[in-house]
Amino acid sequence: MATDAVAQLADSLAKTQVTEGELSYKGQGRKFDNAQSVEEMVKEIQEFKGLQALRLEGNTYGVEAAQAIAKALEIKSEFKYCYWSDMFTGRLRSEIPPALNSLGAALMTAGARLTVLDLSDNAFGPDGVKGIEKLLKSTACHTLQELRLNNCGMGIGGGKILAAALTECYKQSSAQGTPLGLKVFIAGRNRLENDGATALAQAFQLMGSLEEVHVPQNGINHPGVTALATAMQHNPQLRVLNLNDNTFTKKGAIAMAQALKHLRSIQVINFGDCLVRSEGAIAIAEAVTEGLPILKELNLSFGEITGEAALLVAQSVEGKATLEKLDLNGNCLGDEGCDAVREVMDGLNMGDLLGSLSDDEGEPEEDEDEEEGDEDEEGDEDEDDDEDDEEDEDDEEDEDDVEEEEDSIVNQVSSPPLVPRSPDAASFLCFPSPDKLLKLGTKRALLFEQQVDVADAGKTAEAFLKISSVYNEEDEQVKSAVLDSIDAILRKAFASPSFQGYNFVSSLLVMLGLLKSEDEVKPVHVVPGHLQALEYVVRQDYFPQDHIAVLEAFMSRHVQALESCSSARNILKSTLEQVRSEN
C-alpha cells in the first residue's frame, strides 16, 4: 500500500500544475515514438479543462507521437504557453519539421492565442524554423510575448526565415489593430552571423516592443552588431541586452554605445567576451555616464580593454544607485590598472559590486612588438615573391626609360611660366606651416569650416592636430590664428546633434599615440602646440564636460610620446583637474 502511495505521489509531482491551467511532463526522460506510447498523455490533455500550458521538455517525441498530441490540442482554445524545449533528442532532423508542423497546425485550429513559445535546445536547424513558420505568421502568434529559440542551430538561413515570419506576423496583427508586442527574444548559440542578425534586426526595429534580447555566441561581427544597435534604439523599453561572445570591435562597440544613449530603461548589459577594446569601452563609458539611470549589471569582461579605459568605465557608474555588479575581468589592466579600478570603486562605496579581476591578462605589449611581427610576416611573403620581382625588374627599367624620354620631350615643347598659387585651406592641411596659415587671411576660419567635414569625427580630430601643430605661444599672430581656426571647426562640430564627441576624443588619443587602435593609424609626432591648443579647447563652453575625465586619464600616463612636451602636458593636466572640479 505504501508503495502505491509513493508511486501516486511521484506521478502527481511529475504532473504538478506549476501555474494554473498547466500540465507538465517535464524532465521525465521518456521516449515517445508512436501514438500508442502517448495514449495516456493524450487522454489527460483531452480531459484537462482550461488547459493553458503544456510542458513537454526533457522527453523525446517521434512524428506519430507529436501528431497524436497535436490532435488532442485542437480543442484547447484557451492554450497560451508552449514549453517545448529539448523534446527531439536522438531524433533524425527530418522528423522534426513534420512534428512541429502538426503541433503548430493544432494550435491554429484551436484558435489559441500564444503568450510563450519555447523551442530551445532542439537543434532543428533551418528546416525546423520552416516547421514553425506557418504558426509564427498565424493569428495564434499575434499575442506572442516570449519567443525562446536558444541553441537550435538555425544558421543564417533559419534566421532569415524567422525574421520574415515575425515581420509578416507584425504586419498582419497591425492590420487587425493589435500589433505583435514581442517582449522577450532568446536565440543564443544559433550561428546567425551577420546576415541572420541583420535580418532579425529589421524585424526588431519594426516591432519596437522588446524588453529582453539574448543572442550570445552567434558569430556576429561589427556589421551585424551595428544593425542590432540601430534596431535597439527603436525599442525604448529594453531592459536586458545580452550579446555575450560575439565580436564587436571598435565599430560595433561605438554603434552599440550610441544605441545605449536612447535606452533609459536598460538594466542589464552583457557585452562580455565581445572584444569591445579600449575605444569601444570609452564610448560605452560615456553612454553610461550620460544616462542608464537604473543600470544593474554591466559586463565588459574579456574585451582587450586597457587600464585607462577600464578606469573610465569604473568612474562612469558613479551615482548608479541600482548597480549590482560591474564585471571587468579578463581584460588588459595590469596590476596597477587593477589596483586603480579597485580604488575608484572603493571611493564610490561600490567596492563590493566590482567582480573579480583574477583573470586579468596584464598590460598589452608595446606596439613595436606587433610592428616587428608584421614586418616578419611581410618579409616571408617578400621572400616568396623575390623571383617574380627579379624577372620584372628589367621590364620596369625599360618602361621608366621610355617615360623619362617622353617627359623630357614634353618639357622641351611646353614650359609655361610658373604662377604662384594663393594658399588655400586644403594646401595648409596637407603641409601645415605658420606662414601658410597667416596667408589664408582673415577668412581662414570660414575656409577651414568649408574644407573640414565636421560630420566625420576622425577627420575633425586630424584637422585639429594639423592646425595646432603650428601653434606658437610666443607669436601672438600665429597663436591667435590657430585658436580662431580651431574654435570655428570645433564649435561647429560639437553644435551638431549627430556629432560623436567620444569618437573625436578617441581618434585624438589614437593619433597622439596614447590609445591603441584596431585601425592602421600612424601616430603623429606630438609637439607642445597640440597640447597647448587642447588646453585652450577644454576651457571652452562648447567642449562637453563628459570628455574631461577621458582626457585626464590618458594625459596621466607615462608614455614616450609625451616626454618631449612635459611642460605643456603638466599645464593641460592641471587645467583638466580644475575644469573637472568646477563641474
Side-chain angles (χ1 to χ4, degrees), residues 218-269:
N218 269 292
I220 307 171
N221 298 326
H222 74 80
V225 172
T226 300
L228 288 170
T230 300
M232 293 307 102
Q233 294 184 38
H234 296 268
N235 288 265
Q237 300 306 312
L238 192 69
R239 295 182 292 104
V240 179
L241 184 55
N242 176 8
L243 278 86
N244 188 282
D245 200 9
N246 290 291
T247 307
F248 283 31
T249 61
K250 180 185 76 172
K251 293 180 180 177
I254 289 177
M256 197 58 74
Q258 188 66 23
L260 291 176
K261 294 184 177 183
H262 298 266
L263 302 174
R264 302 283 297 175
S265 299
I266 200 82
Q267 296 179 17
V268 177
I269 300 171

Side-chain angles (χ1 to χ4, degrees), residues 333-363:
L333 280 61
D335 292 339
E336 291 184 4
C338 288
D339 290 342
V341 168
R342 292 190 188 100
E343 184 179 344
V344 167
M345 293 298 286
D346 287 339
L348 298 175
N349 293 321
M350 293 180 168
D352 57 332
L353 307 182
L354 178 65
S356 170
L357 298 175
S358 60
D359 293 321
D360 187 73
E361 297 286 343
E363 293 187 41

Side-chain angles (χ1 to χ4, degrees), residues 423-426 440-441 443-452:
D424 55 37
L440 290 175
K443 293 185 178 181
R444 65 178 69 88
L446 179 60
L447 293 173
F448 281 124
E449 282 188 52
Q450 296 171 343
Q451 180 66 33
V452 179

